[in-house]
Amino acid sequence: MELFLSGKHHTIIVKIYGELDHHAAIGVRESVDRELGRTGARNVAFDLSKVTFMDSSGIGVIMGRYKITKALGGRVIVYGASGDVKRIIEMSGIDSIAVVADSEEAGMREVEANV
Amino acid sequence: MYKNSMKVEFPNNSDNERFARTVAAAFILELDPTIDQLSEVKTAVSEAVTNAIIHAYEQDEGIVTMEGNICGDVVEFTISDSGVGIPDISRAREPLFTGKPEKEERSGMGFTIMETFMDTLDVQSEVGKGTRIMMSKKLK
């Protein structure tokens, strides 16, 4: 997992590599929450383009970050998913609470348009 | 007709989620599945095993068992535990229901994904005795 702050949009970008299951989700949510507290960012963007496997645990991570960013007045952005990862995101209906986009730029445009 | 079977047992550590779905994927390779089928089976098995690891034994250690059977072009997996059991199976199978809403951040989508990605899904459970999830998929 690669995690960095994009100051321009008060956004933490979380690029996840490999598999996002329940085991990996524990580490992801701890790191992201620590970074949110440390940086004062209010948005979290998940880049899923390098995720090779994801089950419903990934949806749990997104839902959990939605609750936190909502309290901060921010949003969750999810982008870059393909194949079965994309299918699970679509099945979950997570687009009703998070910005689901094809690219980081498209996701950020939507966040800015709704500020 | 091609037939095969296997059985693995492992402790309820979360790092065994990957182990279990990798074994399941290797087991069905003989049937020459498509990439999509392979991914669907891995995801469904991962959901069932994760459920057992999170819910069955609460904070205790316990054993999760995965059995696989191939009969012709149909694969069947059974994931079982000897844990706390599910008090209300039909409620547990409802989309977005979760028994661990806070700490574990579960989405409540596990059974929905298993149902969608496999052809059949059967859940048997007895409180205090354990849970048994059976699912099958035709791979041709």
Side-chain angles (χ1 to χ4, degrees):
Chain A
M1 181 183 52
E2 198 176 274
L3 196 148
F4 55 93
L5 179 73
S6 162
K8 188 179 163 200
H9 300 293
H10 307 282
T11 301
I12 292 168
I13 313 253
V14 187
K15 186 163 186 171
I16 297 169
Y17 293 83
E19 304 193 319
L20 181 52
D21 61 2
H22 160 247
H23 181 69
I26 299 166
V28 171
R29 65 173 190 246
E30 280 176 7
S31 302
V32 173
D33 292 353
R34 195 184 319 118
E35 246 352 65
L36 273 173
R38 194 180 68 80
T39 60
R42 61 174 183 262
N43 302 310
V44 176
F46 288 99
D47 178 348
L48 302 182
S49 60
K50 299 292 179 193
V51 173
T52 54
F53 172 89
M54 188 181 92
D55 62 18
S56 69
S57 305
I59 301 300
V61 171
I62 296 167
M63 285 167 61
R65 305 296 74 67
Y66 160 74
K67 286 181 195 163
I68 294 171
T69 55
K70 191 182 175 205
L72 298 170
R75 300 293 304 270
V76 171
I77 304 110
V78 180
Y79 62 91
S82 60
D84 267 357
V85 176
K86 191 172 187 179
R87 201 168 146 202
I88 286 172
I89 285 173
E90 286 167 357
M91 272 171 66
S92 73
I94 203 91
D95 60 343
S96 62
I97 60 170
V99 175
V100 177
D102 288 332
S103 67
E104 182 186 344
E105 295 73 30
M108 288 304 172
R109 266 202 307 277
E110 200 171 320
V111 170
E112 284 170 1
N114 289 301
V115 166
Chain B
M1 185 166 64
Y2 180 71
K3 284 192 173 189
N4 200 7
S5 62
M6 64 94 176
K7 180 176 178 177
V8 286
E9 292 187 341
F10 46 87
N12 59 337
N13 304 329
S14 62
D15 42 8
N16 280 328
E17 292 154 8
R18 173 193 270 182
F19 168 74
R21 64 176 177 265
T22 307
V23 169
F27 182 64
I28 63 169
L29 279 184
E30 195 64 35
L31 296 180
D32 201 17
T34 64
I35 299 284
D36 282 350
Q37 288 171 334
L38 202 56
S39 176
E40 287 164 358
V41 166
K42 279 176 76 175
T43 309
V45 165
S46 192
E47 296 293 350
V49 169
T50 302
N51 271 353
I53 285 174
I54 291 176
H55 299 284
Y57 302 104
E58 298 182 333
Q59 302 304 315
D60 296 332
E61 291 176 6
I63 296 293
V64 179
T65 304
M66 176 171 73
E67 289 164 82
N69 273 294
I70 294 173
C71 195
D73 52 11
V74 176
V75 63
E76 182 187 87
F77 287 102
T78 304
I79 289 96
S80 53
D81 63 68
S82 312
V84 295
I86 304 171
D88 186 342
I89 294 173
S90 54
R91 186 153 173 256
R93 287 180 70 157
E94 282 172 15
L96 307 181
F97 173 82
T98 173
K100 301 259 184 199
E102 295 302 326
K103 188 173 147 277
E104 291 281 358
E105 291 189 342
R106 304 304 299 162
S107 65
M109 280 187 60
F111 279 123
T112 306
I113 288 175
M114 288 181 243
E115 281 169 1
T116 308
F117 286 2
M118 301 297 279
D119 296 337
T120 68
L121 176 73
D122 184 46
V123 185
Q124 296 173 359
S125 191
E126 199 175 330
V127 173
K129 292 268 176 68
T131 300
R132 188 177 176 84
I133 295 175
M134 279 155 290
M135 47 197 184
S136 70
K137 189 176 180 70
K138 191 173 163 67
L139 292 177
K140 284 281 149 59

